[in-house]
Amino acid sequence: DNLDTPIATTTTAGNTSSEPMRACFVVLVRNSELQGIKNTVAQIEARFNKRFQYPYVFLNDDYFTDDFIQQISSLTTAQVNFGKVGQHMWGYPSYINQTHAATQRAVLAAQGIPYADSESYRHMCRFQSGFFFRHPLLDAYDYYWRIEPDVDYHCDIDYDVFRYMKDNNKKYGFNIAFREYMATVPSLWQTVLDFQKAHPEVVNQLPQPKDSLWNFVAGDDGQSYNSCHFWTNFEIASLDLWRSNEYLKFFNYLDRAGGFFYERWGDAPVHSIAAAMMLKKDEFHFFNDIGYRHTAYTHCPTEPIYRDKCSCNPNDNFGKLIECQ
Ligand code: GDP
Ligand code: MN
């Protein structure tokens, strides 16, 4: 591949910047998922990053093994940082009643919901909701691309997606939207409404519902959550969005309510509801050109111009996002 090829970006915001982008891949992963994450990183390098050399930040609630660090580092010439997640970002806050949490896990497990009885999954969702963007290894960056083990990236991406985000004033990029298991978030929406009532100073800073994506998540005229969310296993977004006072107040309010542990609030509905509330519609970007598979679901661009860039079958495309399936 020719590294000297000029990068064409379409710009609506006017000034196209040329200073280096402060952006990285962020990867929360366990040592046991080494093979799966090698598969993902190899695809990211081949499809995108061999041209752009963005650094990676690997995070784990445990120490990465020397073998893990060595095998990952050998996949890329980009910088790779490995970090451990500290106790206050991965553990029970003092105000959580762990006995009650255990009882509630058993209640959810009886309903056959995925990860219903998993404590680590709850710590993971809380970390992805409220902490990854505050990990010291991310301080150097303004944008991130979240990647996971055992996913596929199907298409060549020959422009700088981070620069695209910046130049077009995009704050949140996604490519799959889906319905949440409502049993995992029964009190989330009411907590969001309570937050809005308790924090008018935040609500006053936010776009009007008609200018935001509020209606992407609001059901029954705003009385309930319609269960739509963007899948956060792929995310290209602004770190400032989550570092804002508005979001931090929102996250702290949710965290205090206890639903990360007493229910099983996912980072996907939390990010999606927050972004839908806090961003203007045109600050979202649908990355149609980034073909992607996570578990059984694939986003594959269907337009003929992608045929030579992508290895996925357009017939496998998950479908129309706006209805969120
Ligand atoms: P799913 O996509 O909702 O099925 O959840 P995953 O099992 O894929 O987990 C989401 C992300 O968090 C993946 O990148 C996992 O590697 C990571 N992850 C999940 N649980 C843990 C954990 O206990 N420790 C660490 N270090 N990473 C985790
Ligand atoms: Mn996953």
Side-chain angles (χ1 to χ4, degrees):
D1 258 81
N2 185 355
L3 291 171
D4 298 320
T5 308
I7 311 303
T9 49
T10 41
T11 308
T12 56
N15 295 325
T16 304
S17 52
S18 58
E19 68 266 29
M21 291 296 301
R22 290 161 36 99
C24 67
F25 294 95
V26 62
V27 197
L28 177 73
V29 66
R30 291 167 280 220
N31 285 303
S32 60
E33 295 170 302
L34 175 60
Q35 287 308 322
I37 196 60
K38 279 179 74 174
N39 180 56
T40 302
V41 170
Q43 293 183 58
I44 285 284
E45 287 294 311
R47 294 300 197 175
F48 173 79
N49 205 42
K50 66 185 174 191
R51 302 179 190 83
F52 296 103
Q53 299 287 306
Y54 279 106
Y56 291 79
V57 175
F58 277 75
L59 300 175
N60 188 352
D61 59 308
D62 194 0
Y63 291 101
F64 284 113
T65 63
D66 291 341
D67 180 48
F68 188 102
I69 291 171
Q70 191 270 318
Q71 291 203 46
I72 291 296
S73 303
S74 71
L75 291 175
T76 176
T77 51
Q79 187 195 328
V80 191
N81 289 308
F82 297 89
K84 188 175 183 302
V85 171
Q87 274 297 300
H88 73 290
M89 296 189 177
W90 193 290
Y92 288 100
S94 58
Y95 49 82
I96 293 296
N97 178 336
Q98 294 186 39
T99 311
H100 182 52
T103 307
Q104 293 300 100
R105 284 198 301 277
V107 170
L108 201 59
Q111 300 175 51
I113 302 293
Y115 305 111
D117 57 1
S118 170
E119 272 182 289
S120 66
Y121 194 82
R122 287 173 171 80
H123 291 301
M124 182 275 287
C125 290
R126 177 171 175 266
F127 174 76
Q128 299 286 27
S129 297
F131 295 101
F132 81 92
F133 49 89
R134 295 189 266 185
H135 192 282
L137 286 178
L138 278 103
D139 284 352
Y141 307 112
D142 300 326
Y143 296 88
Y144 68 97
W145 179 339
R146 175 172 158 184
I147 63 172
E148 280 204 354
D150 294 304
V151 300
D152 289 322
Y153 280 93
H154 295 297
C155 303
D156 287 333
I157 302 149
D158 51 19
Y159 65 98
D160 184 337
V161 296
F162 296 117
R163 197 170 293 286
Y164 174 87
M165 296 287 287
K166 182 171 188 220
D167 289 345
N168 293 282
N169 196 31
K170 302 293 186 187
K171 304 285 170 56
Y172 192 86
F174 63 92
N175 64 8
I176 293 178
F178 204 41
R179 298 268 184 182
E180 184 55 291
Y181 292 95
M182 287 304 285
T184 66
V185 287
S187 74
L188 175 59
W189 192 257
Q190 188 55 51
T191 309
V192 171
L193 298 181
D194 292 347
F195 167 79
Q196 291 177 331
K197 210 171 286 171
H199 290 280
E201 85 290 356
V202 172
V203 174
N204 289 338
Q205 299 293 310
L206 303 179
Q208 298 287 308
K210 68 171 171 50
D211 299 323
S212 73
L213 278 193
W214 187 242
N215 286 329
F216 172 71
V217 291
D220 300 327
D221 265 336
Q223 302 283 295
S224 68
Y225 180 34
N226 68 10
S227 83
C228 289
H229 62 282
F230 302 116
W231 262 14
T232 48
N233 47 71
F234 166 90
E235 243 178 1
I236 299 177
S238 156
L239 288 161
D240 287 345
L241 166 61
W242 312 127
R243 289 166 176 159
S244 68
N245 279 328
E246 289 81 10
Y247 182 75
L248 291 174
K249 282 188 183 179
F250 178 74
F251 171 74
N252 287 340
Y253 193 94
L254 298 190
D255 201 24
R256 280 268 158 190
F260 289 108
F261 296 106
Y262 303 144
E263 297 179 2
R264 206 217 65 192
W265 293 354
D267 53 292
V270 170
H271 281 195
S272 300
I273 292 171
M277 186 166 89
M278 295 177 176
L279 297 179
K280 298 191 184 124
K281 277 178 200 164
D282 61 8
E283 293 176 312
F284 287 87
H285 182 64
F286 168 40
F287 275 103
N288 180 45
D289 50 357
I290 302 188
Y292 177 67
R293 181 198 60 80
H294 178 278
T295 55
Y297 297 96
T298 296
H299 168 69
C300 188
T302 54
E303 297 80 0
I305 50 163
Y306 294 112
R307 208 165 334 173
D308 298 337
K309 286 184 188 262
C310 301
S311 58
C312 53
N313 183 343
N315 294 332
D316 293 338
N317 186 41
F318 189 39
K320 290 191 230 83
L321 287 157
I322 218 65
E323 290 149 32
C324 88
Q325 326 299 331

